[in-house]
Amino acid sequence: MKRRTFLKNLSASGTLAGLGGLSLESCVNPYRKHITILHTNDVHSHIDAFPKDHSQFPGLGGLARRATLVEQIRSENPNTLLFDAGDIFQGTPYFNFYGGELEFKLMSKLKYDAATIGNHDFDNGIDGLHAQLPHANFELLSANYDFTNTVLDGFVKPYRTYLLDGIKIGVYGLGIQLKGLVTQELYKETQYLDPYDVAYDCERILKKQEQCDMIICLSHLGYQYQQEDRPNDLELASKTKYTNLFIGGHTHTFLDKPTVVKNNADDHVLVNQVGCFGVHLGRIDFYFDALKNSTSKGTHITV
């Protein structure tokens, strides 16, 4: 089934109440189900920790430390999902030498659940990205890249659903316009679809057809731009209706805490991004009551 047809058939803390429109104080039922969302973005092949004398990130980061944190959090709450918002590749000699194989293998060992595709993930061409897929034991999600007539056709899904402790979670991916960022010989016949239109389709499907209790967007559009005509996460959050959490990438934005945005349904939703190079791990905890109303808390953990 072709992508367009398929779409037509979704280190501070802050709190947000009301996926179901109710605040914490107004709920009679106690919050009894706990879902943890962990996330990274723009890791750019940074597998090792930075040197202790690094001017910007002394001794920070490193996949081994991230793995330890993820394992600890999962032991505390088995109902945990781990996502990445793109630009997995390019930035250290590991990518130059292994072409993405090591990054995908290590992410698989950490048991990432899904990732979206960033512009730098095409740096070895669409054929190079395809060649590394056997090493990825997680989903690649991208709803607005139409891979028809490319080697990735059928290998990338627009969205995925997860069921944790009776809570159904829908996740969809969005990518940035490749023209101007990536030479066409690398992405070939990949077609870029308007991310806002695609987001409306995805969240509607996930909410109405899939009956999801919570919807997450993995976005590599960028947090915000001075140019008003460039799609970005803050505008996307304000235009959509059913998406509750936007996990962003591309702009390497270090947020002190998740940004709260009022969406098109006049509900508050979260937009989050944890900078770059794996020096922070994003964590959002959602707590659901018996009626599946929720409250949330967001934390950035320094790795």
Side-chain angles (χ1 to χ4, degrees):
M1 184 179 296
K2 297 303 180 185
R3 177 177 305 273
R4 200 61 191 160
T5 304
F6 184 61
L7 281 175
K8 289 179 179 178
N9 283 325
L10 171 348
S11 325
S13 66
T15 59
L16 174 71
L19 288 191
L22 299 177
S23 67
L24 178 59
E25 292 77 15
S26 67
C27 290
V28 176
N29 295 310
Y31 287 79
R32 59 187 66 181
K33 293 188 177 184
H34 177 196
I35 305 295
T36 298
I37 306 298
L38 303 178
H39 63 94
T40 54
N41 62 272
D42 298 276
V43 177
H44 285 294
S45 303
H46 281 76
I47 292 167
D48 298 325
F50 281 92
K52 293 183 178 180
D53 61 353
H54 192 270
S55 61
Q56 193 172 6
F57 308 116
L60 299 182
L63 192 135
R65 288 179 181 166
R66 192 191 321 154
T68 299
L69 281 171
V70 170
E71 183 179 3
Q72 177 183 338
I73 293 167
R74 283 186 177 133
S75 68
E76 296 168 356
N77 183 18
N79 297 311
T80 295
L81 293 171
L82 175 59
F83 299 117
D84 186 87
D87 275 5
I88 298 165
F89 296 163
Q90 189 62 271
T92 73
Y94 286 116
F95 177 70
N96 299 335
F97 191 80
Y98 295 106
E101 175 181 343
L102 187 58
E103 291 89 326
F104 275 2
K105 282 183 174 180
L106 291 174
M107 288 177 68
S108 297
K109 285 186 176 294
L110 263 68
K111 298 181 181 178
Y112 271 78
D113 293 283
T116 197
I117 302 172
N119 50 292
H120 279 290
D121 299 321
F122 291 93
D123 279 4
N124 267 355
I126 196 169
D127 295 298
L129 177 56
H130 176 263
Q132 302 307 330
L133 292 184
H135 306 300
N137 295 329
F138 53 89
E139 299 282 0
L140 285 182
L141 303 178
S142 184
N144 71 316
Y145 288 159
D146 184 347
F147 290 116
T148 303
N149 299 322
T150 76
V151 294
L152 286 183
D153 189 23
F155 289 94
V156 180
K157 297 180 180 179
Y159 65 80
R160 166 78 193 273
T161 62
Y162 304 84
L163 186 64
L164 299 179
D165 196 19
I167 302 297
K168 192 171 186 180
I169 302 163
V171 184
Y172 65 96
L174 296 175
I176 196 168
Q177 169 70 272
L178 297 175
K179 184 178 181 180
L181 289 175
V182 182
T183 59
Q184 188 171 358
E185 66 181 21
L186 294 179
Y187 64 84
K188 295 187 176 179
E189 295 182 20
T190 303
Q191 296 296 311
Y192 171 80
L193 307 177
D194 182 275
Y196 295 158
D197 290 343
V198 171
Y200 306 150
D201 285 344
C202 283
E203 65 169 9
R204 175 183 53 79
I205 292 170
L206 290 169
K207 187 68 174 181
K208 300 297 186 180
Q209 297 182 20
E210 298 287 349
Q211 296 291 301
C212 290
D213 303 303
M214 181 170 70
I215 298 173
I216 300 170
C217 174
L218 304 181
S219 165
H220 201 77
L221 297 177
Y223 179 75
Q224 189 179 36
Y225 301 100
Q226 291 183 344
Q227 305 97 315
E228 295 181 359
D229 60 340
R230 294 189 65 179
N232 62 83
D233 292 339
L234 292 186
E235 186 174 0
L236 177 65
S238 71
K239 290 179 177 293
T240 46
K241 186 176 181 180
Y242 303 116
T243 307
N244 310 108
L245 171 62
F246 298 83
I247 295 173
H250 186 65
T251 48
H252 295 195
T253 304
F254 285 90
L255 296 175
D256 293 329
K257 60 183 179 180
T259 302
V260 180
V261 177
K262 187 171 287 189
N263 71 4
N264 195 39
D266 211 31
D267 292 326
H268 288 102
V269 299
L270 293 178
V271 177
N272 205 27
Q273 192 176 148
V274 290
C276 55
F277 308 146
V279 298
H280 286 170
L281 176 68
R283 174 174 179 169
I284 312 286
D285 289 283
F286 290 89
Y287 301 90
F288 292 82
D289 68 7
L291 299 177
K292 296 185 178 179
N293 300 306
S294 80
T295 187
S296 64
K297 179 179 180 180
T299 305
H300 295 174
I301 307 168
T302 301
V303 178

